[in-house]
Amino acid sequence: MGQKISRRAFLRGGIAAAAGLAASSIPGASAAAAPQEKTQLATLLDISKCVGCEACVEACNEVNANKYPQPKKPFPKMYPERVPVEDWSEKQDVTERLTPYNWLFIQHATVNVNGEEQEITLPRRCMHCVNPPCVKLCPWGAARQLANGISRIDSDICLGGSKCKKVCPWDIPQRQTGTGLYLDILPSFAGNGVMYKCDRCYNRIADGELPACIEACPEEVQTIGPRDEIIQKAHALAKEINGYIYGENENGGTNTIYVSPVPFEELNKTIEKGKGKPHLKPVKDTMAQANNLTTAMALAPVAGIAAAVGKFVRLTKNRQ
Amino acid sequence: MQVQPNFTSKAPNRIVRYVYLITVFFLTLTGFGQMPIFKRYYIADIPGLGWLAQFYVTHYIHYLGAVLILALVSYLIIDYLFLQKKRIRLTASGYVRGTILVGILVSGIFLVLRNLSGGRFVPEFIIFLDIAHLGLVMTFLIVAGYCMVYKRRWVTQR
């Protein structure tokens, strides 16, 4: 039943997304994109249902294969020599971590639930943050956030500098060398390929379809819908199973909400972490610190004008 | 005869000038730090400059610099219009630099708005802003370098 409700809600958001995409493609469109509908879609992952079958991983690979990199070899010689070549083209079948050819993988945790040792599995991919640092801090605008909350990297524009990965609290984007725009500019001196990550099947959503991982899951682990509805559902589910939530407040809020029967702190201790294998730690809002200065920025001209006016008044008094 | 800009005594003149130069220096440095170049080209390996490879640090300092430059430019504009205009006038190179600076500030303000949660522009506009901001800074540096070498002042006496 839950899935039916979420599908309806999802389709509402899909139309909003399509409207947003259409607005984006109008040449010379107004500076501030004002999509009619600004509903961010979020996904709820009930990890107590996940059996780790990897149907989602296979579906993701199948549906997104046409977006995967096709690097040209040999790669250009890069300067200085410390610039790393990252080549996954010979390891396209790796599914136990995130790679440019695998945007979703299953993470395993062995935990103690009610005195019993259990293996918990959970799908991991981009969290699609509400205010995504990968998008906001990309120096070229290659990463973009759609009106429906999807953050995605435009492989035609990305230069592969990997800044998005460094500013991502979970190090999600993965680089493939030897592909993309940098080859046409200064391949030896600037750029290093293209960054890849889950785009939550933005094109399928624009067509009113479900993301492949959601559609393929036999256990209906994932539900998609407007973020506020998904948050409500997550809280209801957490209350029902006496569980825990991850992703609601991490990095200021994400559009990927996990609900687990065991604390994420426990899961984080036992999952394999490292390159291409994100953690489950609490994450503070990475964009907040600088954004808090926005008020000071708004007041700065007032302070400057006040100082000049003060000088004017002082000089006028002195003349009198 | 050409003069230093807009100040009635030398001391505040010097202070404002140094604040302006230091602010522009750090804004430029941290602005270029938004691109992943300082680590690649060993600059962040120089002792004391490791922070240049930390994007959140350079981002924060860039914002602090923006607060200062906005206050400073607002002060100078009002000071010029109400106190100095009868005595001095902007030179041609002053107009050029001022126009570029305003362009940098305006594109920067839009980028700050973009960075707020919920701040969203069409992707093409964001690309335009990114390139315009960088292009204007590079133009400003070239023009400022020329003015420094050939001693072109911002203002001259009427």
Side-chain angles (χ1 to χ4, degrees):
Chain A
M1 192 179 82
Q3 193 67 4
K4 275 185 188 167
I5 292 167
S6 73
R7 274 174 199 250
R8 201 182 311 130
F10 157 76
L11 286 172
R12 280 208 307 271
I15 292 162
L21 279 172
S24 299
S25 62
I26 299 168
S30 136
Q36 294 302 307
E37 184 70 62
K38 290 186 174 177
T39 310
Q40 291 217 359
L41 295 176
T43 49
L44 166 62
L45 290 94
D46 178 358
I47 63 175
S48 65
K49 287 183 180 174
C50 181
V51 293
C53 66
E54 292 196 344
C56 54
V57 180
E58 285 168 26
C60 175
N61 279 319
E62 195 178 311
V63 162
N64 291 307
N66 62 328
K67 301 174 191 165
Y68 289 164
Q70 293 176 318
K72 290 174 193 164
K73 293 183 184 178
F75 298 137
K77 171 97 177 136
M78 285 190 283
Y79 298 99
E81 286 188 355
R82 77 182 334 180
V83 180
V85 169
E86 293 189 54
D87 181 19
W88 288 91
S89 60
E90 309 293 330
K91 298 173 278 184
Q92 294 189 28
D93 50 356
V94 170
T95 57
E96 69 268 13
R97 57 162 285 176
L98 298 172
T99 79
Y101 297 89
N102 193 58
W103 301 349
L104 166 69
F105 78 107
I106 300 293
Q107 214 162 23
H108 298 259
T110 308
V111 288
N112 202 300
V113 182
N114 301 328
E116 260 184 60
E117 199 169 78
Q118 269 191 21
E119 185 173 350
I120 286 184
T121 51
L122 61 159
R124 297 304 304 275
R125 55 167 169 74
C126 174
M127 300 288 284
H128 296 282
C129 301
V130 170
N131 195 28
C134 59
V135 171
K136 300 301 175 84
L137 299 181
C138 173
W140 303 113
R144 54 186 61 176
Q145 186 183 35
L146 308 186
N148 59 10
I150 290 174
S151 52
R152 74 178 191 89
I153 297 167
D154 188 334
S155 55
D156 291 334
I157 299 172
C158 179
L159 296 174
S162 197
K163 181 182 178 185
C164 53
K165 183 181 179 183
K166 289 188 183 85
V167 297
C168 171
W170 294 276
D171 298 343
I172 297 288
Q174 302 290 319
R175 175 163 55 193
Q176 172 63 48
T177 299
T179 183
L181 187 62
Y182 90 109
L183 293 172
D184 300 325
I185 306 176
L186 289 168
S188 294
F189 300 101
N192 187 5
V194 172
M195 306 303 295
Y196 292 89
K197 70 169 193 72
C198 161
D199 59 15
R200 219 173 58 187
C201 293
Y202 75 96
N203 46 334
R204 286 172 62 90
I205 287 185
D207 291 341
E209 293 178 83
L210 283 169
C213 57
I214 299 179
E215 192 174 77
C217 180
E219 305 295 328
E220 297 191 346
V221 168
Q222 291 195 63
T223 312
I224 188 167
R227 188 170 192 270
D228 50 354
E229 286 179 24
I230 288 293
I231 297 287
Q232 278 179 17
K233 280 182 149 192
H235 280 275
L237 179 62
K239 196 175 174 187
E240 185 188 320
I241 65 169
N242 201 18
Y244 303 85
I245 295 174
Y246 187 78
E248 181 185 1
N249 300 312
E250 273 61 36
N251 201 26
T254 79
N255 285 318
T256 304
I257 315 293
Y258 290 94
V259 177
S260 159
V262 289
F264 285 93
E265 198 183 354
E266 295 301 315
L267 290 177
N268 188 54
K269 281 180 195 165
T270 119
I271 55 170
E272 201 178 323
K273 299 175 285 290
K275 289 181 178 175
K277 296 176 179 178
H279 62 79
L280 283 166
K281 289 189 287 192
V283 174
K284 67 177 172 58
D285 186 351
T286 50
M287 292 296 292
Q289 204 175 19
N291 280 347
N292 287 342
L293 285 176
T294 309
T295 312
M297 243 180 258
L299 292 174
V302 179
I305 292 166
V309 170
K311 183 180 167 186
F312 177 74
V313 171
R314 202 171 57 246
L315 286 175
T316 310
K317 274 185 185 172
N318 287 348
R319 274 183 204 148
Q320 286 169 352
Chain B
M1 183 190 149
Q2 289 188 323
V3 295
Q4 289 291 320
N6 71 2
F7 311 109
T8 49
S9 70
K10 280 186 178 174
N13 179 354
R14 205 176 299 129
I15 292 168
V16 172
R17 190 159 181 253
Y18 282 128
V19 171
Y20 168 77
L21 288 174
I22 291 168
T23 306
V24 168
F25 173 76
F26 276 100
L27 275 169
T28 309
L29 190 67
T30 54
F32 279 104
Q34 299 312 301
M35 295 182 285
I37 52 172
F38 286 139
K39 187 169 181 192
R40 176 168 179 158
Y41 288 104
Y42 297 92
I43 293 160
D45 291 357
I46 298 169
L49 295 185
W51 59 275
L52 284 174
Q54 295 175 36
F55 294 115
Y56 284 112
V57 173
T58 53
H59 186 225
Y60 190 78
I61 296 173
H62 200 69
Y63 269 39
L64 282 176
V67 172
L68 275 175
I69 199 83
L70 282 169
L72 203 58
V73 167
S74 307
Y75 170 81
L76 290 172
I77 289 172
I78 298 299
D79 187 53
Y80 175 73
L81 290 177
F82 290 97
L83 279 171
Q84 313 287 350
K85 211 176 173 183
K86 285 181 185 165
R87 195 170 64 86
I88 56 174
R89 64 174 176 80
L90 271 174
T91 60
S93 78
Y95 272 112
V96 171
R97 279 179 281 181
T99 306
I100 300 170
L101 195 56
V102 168
I104 294 168
L105 291 178
V106 170
S107 55
I109 288 167
F110 274 108
L111 287 168
V112 168
L113 294 175
R114 184 275 310 259
N115 285 348
L116 295 173
S117 189
R120 196 169 44 234
F121 300 125
V122 287
E124 290 78 4
F125 183 61
I126 292 172
I127 294 168
F128 165 76
L129 284 176
D130 285 330
I131 293 173
H133 198 62
L134 176 65
L136 285 167
V137 167
M138 293 177 86
T139 311
F140 185 79
L141 290 178
I142 292 167
V143 173
Y146 172 87
C147 292
M148 205 150 56
V149 170
Y150 292 100
K151 299 194 182 337
R152 300 283 191 271
R153 306 282 189 186
W154 274 82
V155 290
T156 187
Q157 276 188 334
R158 284 190 184 273

